[in-house]
């Protein structure tokens, strides 16, 4: 017999796969921090090129249009101002890129969680004995892919040594290297 709920869930999953599936899986292959770092590298590169272009236009305008003599120009102050402008623009766009990347990753994470819930529902509907939502203890025994749960566990394991080092605020003690005994051959 055809199960209406199962068909609806499978249709929703097919729509997700068609619209978001490939891109979400490609993004979710990274940890959040790595995804944001990758996006911010492109942001920083493009902003630096754009800011350098604007600075070049500004200095060309100062020299050729306004007519400032190069001998009158305070080069040290001009370079300092240009570098500060470049750093300020890059810092601003790094913050904007971080916020945007975090938001995008959050949205993708929610869509993936929803997809996994649909997989679990289909598994429950496909099982011979129909039962309601599993308890948290039973949830660990499901055969459905647990991409999100596995990723969170891996990220926590990866962060533990770093968190411990931050808490201790000290470097680990160095091990003494034993001296080699010289032997004659």
């Amino acid at each position: 017999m055809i199960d209406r709920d199962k068909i609806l869930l499978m249709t929703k999953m097919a729509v997700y796969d068609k619209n978001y599936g490939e891109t979400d899986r490609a993004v979710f292959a990274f940890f959040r921090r790595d995804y944001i770092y990758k996006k911010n590298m492109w942001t920083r590169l493009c902003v630096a090129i754009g800011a350098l272009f604007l600075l070049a236009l500004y200095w060309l305008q100062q020299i050729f249009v306004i007519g400032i003599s190069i001998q009158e120009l305070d080069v040290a102050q001009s370079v300092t101002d240009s570098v500060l402008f470049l750093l300020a623009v890059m810092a601003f766009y790094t913050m904007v890129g971080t916020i945007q990347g975090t938001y995008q990753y959050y949205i993708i994470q929610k869509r993936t969680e929803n997809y996994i819930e649909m997989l679990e529902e289909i598994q429950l509907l496909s099982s011979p004995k129909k039962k309601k939502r599993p308890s948290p203890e039973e949830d660990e025994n499901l055969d459905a892919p647990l991409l999100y749960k596995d990723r969170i566990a891996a990220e926590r394991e990866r962060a533990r040594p770093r968190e411990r080092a931050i808490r201790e605020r000290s470097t680990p003690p160095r091990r003494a290297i034993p001296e080699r005994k010289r032997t004659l051959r």
Side-chain angles (χ1 to χ4, degrees):
M1 180 134 216
I2 298 175
D3 189 2
R4 181 175 185 265
D5 294 334
K6 189 174 176 183
I7 292 173
L8 287 173
L9 284 172
M10 292 174 79
T11 305
K12 287 180 185 177
M13 290 173 60
V15 168
Y16 168 82
D17 279 336
K18 182 179 179 186
N19 295 332
Y20 306 109
E22 278 186 45
T23 56
D24 285 1
R25 281 187 281 278
V27 168
F28 216 61
F30 296 100
F31 289 104
R32 184 184 66 207
R33 178 183 67 228
D34 297 337
Y35 172 71
I36 293 169
Y37 179 77
K38 178 183 155 195
K39 285 193 66 92
N40 274 345
M41 285 306 296
W42 285 110
T43 302
R44 287 183 195 121
L45 179 67
C46 292
V47 165
I49 291 170
L52 288 173
F53 179 72
L54 288 175
L55 284 171
L57 287 178
Y58 172 75
W59 288 114
L60 288 174
Q61 183 228 8
Q62 291 290 320
I63 293 171
F64 293 113
V65 175
I66 296 176
I68 294 178
S69 174
I70 296 178
Q71 288 87 15
E72 297 172 5
L73 190 64
D74 184 12
V75 176
Q77 183 63 34
S78 299
V79 169
T80 304
D81 292 343
S82 298
V83 168
L84 287 176
F85 171 74
L86 183 64
L87 290 177
V89 168
M90 287 180 65
F92 175 74
Y93 277 98
T94 297
M95 288 188 318
V96 169
T98 300
I99 292 169
Q100 181 189 20
T102 303
Y103 179 73
Q104 285 176 347
Y105 197 86
Y106 172 78
I107 296 296
I108 290 168
Q109 188 176 15
K110 289 299 177 188
R111 281 196 303 245
T112 305
E113 287 174 358
N114 190 23
Y115 185 79
I116 291 171
E117 287 176 7
M118 287 190 281
L119 281 174
E120 292 171 352
E121 287 293 324
I122 286 179
Q123 183 181 11
L124 289 175
L125 290 172
S126 300
S127 66
K129 50 182 174 177
K130 306 258 181 176
K131 59 181 181 179
K132 294 184 180 177
R133 212 95 180 117
S135 66
E137 295 82 26
E138 295 170 338
D139 191 32
E140 297 298 323
N141 298 328
L142 288 176
D143 294 332
L146 299 174
L147 296 172
Y148 174 69
K149 292 178 184 176
D150 292 342
R151 179 167 304 285
I152 294 298
E155 194 165 351
R156 285 184 184 150
E157 285 297 321
R158 189 171 150 189
R160 280 193 180 135
R162 203 175 44 240
E163 290 170 358
R164 193 176 305 122
I166 290 171
R167 271 187 264 125
E168 294 173 359
R169 295 283 185 202
S170 66
T171 58
R174 290 187 166 195
R175 291 185 355 189
I177 300 173
E179 289 185 27
R180 289 186 175 177
K181 293 182 182 177
R182 294 186 180 209
T183 57
L184 297 174
R185 290 185 187 189

